[in-house]
């Protein structure tokens, strides 16, 4: 009922009615009317603004697996609750497109193999402090709970073409998952799915 709660809060602020009254009205709304109310709430926003606080009335919990480098950028969004697992080398790793384009992917893979061997030995002694031996390319798994207002900001910011490919993919996938449960909210979240220069070059090479 996330969309209902946001719409009810918007009507509560605007209408001077009790919450029970506006909640009942929000529940009776047809899908097209719901979309209209939600769209009006973000109309005129600039790229540097967040939606109104009524969008904090609902939230999402994502289970994310990504390379640790991408996580360190996502971690900077303070309006989230994160539940962590220990960082290690058992969930795989990501060798970025840049490494392949520079012709150093093989060397990077070899270095990551050596790092994993050292991590395995250290983890057998102290799994917590062994995290310091894990390169940024290895994957981390965590839960992230975020309200719709902050999700709007994170997806818009982290999907921009200037960003790294790893967290851009996460931002785009977050929008798709939100659209599955709340189509009206998800449709309003701006996402930059423009191809990066590296992706364009790869596409030309494939052609």
């Amino acid at each position: 009922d996330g969309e209902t709660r946001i719409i009810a809060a918007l009507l509560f602020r605007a209408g001077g009615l009790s919450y029970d009254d506006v909640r009942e009205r929000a529940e009776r709304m047809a899908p097209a009317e719901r979309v209209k109310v939600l769209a009006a709430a973000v109309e005129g926003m600039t790229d540097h603004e967040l939606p109104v606080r009524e969008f904090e009335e609902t939230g999402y919990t994502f289970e994310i697996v990504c390379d640790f480098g991408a996580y360190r950028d996502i971690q900077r969004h303070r309006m989230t609750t994160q539940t962590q697992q220990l960082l290690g080398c058992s969930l795989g790793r990501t060798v970025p497109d840049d490494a392949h384009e520079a012709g150093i992917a093989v060397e990077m893979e070899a270095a990551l193999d050596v790092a994993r061997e050292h991590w395995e030995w250290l983890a057998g002694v102290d799994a917590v402090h062994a995290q310091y031996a894990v390169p940024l390319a290895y994957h981390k798994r965590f839960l992230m709970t975020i309200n719709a207002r902050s999700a709007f900001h994170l997806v818009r910011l982290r999907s921009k073409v200037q960003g790294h490919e790893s967290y851009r993919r996460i931002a785009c996938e977050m929008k798709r998952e939100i659209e599955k449960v709340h189509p009206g909210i998800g449709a309003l979240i701006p996402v930059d799915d423009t191809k990066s220069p590296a992706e364009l070059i790869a596409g030309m090479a494939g052609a």
Side-chain angles (χ1 to χ4, degrees):
D1 65 345
E3 288 186 352
T4 298
R5 284 188 278 139
I6 292 175
I7 292 170
L10 290 167
L11 296 176
F12 181 84
R13 176 160 63 94
L17 300 174
S18 73
Y19 185 76
D20 285 344
D21 288 338
V22 294
R23 172 78 188 212
E24 183 180 351
R25 178 180 172 186
E27 290 173 344
R28 293 199 311 264
M29 280 185 176
E33 189 179 5
R34 298 166 75 88
V35 170
K36 184 177 179 180
V37 172
L38 291 168
V42 299
E43 186 176 1
M45 279 180 51
T46 69
D47 283 346
H48 302 288
E49 293 179 306
L50 271 69
V52 292
R53 286 196 173 272
E54 284 77 5
F55 278 77
E56 296 176 6
E57 290 288 332
T58 191
Y60 313 95
T61 297
F62 298 94
E63 179 179 343
I64 300 174
V65 178
C66 65
D67 64 80
F68 188 52
Y71 167 74
R72 292 306 299 270
D73 278 295
I74 294 171
Q75 182 188 32
R76 296 166 58 192
H77 293 267
R78 300 303 183 190
M79 296 301 292
T80 65
T81 299
Q82 297 175 19
T83 304
Q84 317 251 352
Q85 293 183 347
L86 288 178
L87 176 64
C89 299
S90 60
L91 293 176
R93 63 204 188 195
T94 297
V95 176
D97 293 342
D98 290 350
H100 291 282
E101 293 162 17
I104 60 170
V106 174
E107 291 86 347
M108 183 175 178
E109 293 273 16
L112 291 171
D113 286 338
V114 172
R116 176 172 181 141
E117 292 175 4
H118 288 290
W119 167 78
E120 288 175 342
W121 183 86
L122 290 167
V125 178
D126 185 338
V128 173
H129 288 92
Q131 295 178 102
Y132 289 103
V134 180
L136 296 177
Y138 277 99
H139 294 170
K140 179 179 180 65
R141 179 161 52 204
F142 62 101
L143 296 179
M144 182 175 69
T145 299
I146 184 170
N147 63 49
R149 185 173 186 247
S150 293
F152 190 107
H153 172 63
L154 189 154
V155 171
R156 179 178 59 189
L157 177 64
R158 294 300 174 190
S159 69
K160 289 187 180 299
V161 70
Q162 296 90 342
H164 193 274
E165 62 192 69
S166 292
Y167 60 68
R168 287 191 72 209
R169 282 195 293 266
I170 294 168
C172 293
E173 187 64 23
M174 285 176 65
K175 174 183 167 71
R176 284 192 288 269
E177 291 298 318
I178 291 172
E179 284 182 313
K180 290 179 182 179
V181 292
H182 294 147
I185 296 172
L188 296 175
I189 299 177
V191 65
D192 184 356
D193 56 4
T194 306
K195 289 186 177 181
S196 67
E199 290 171 324
L200 291 172
I201 292 171
M204 293 168 63

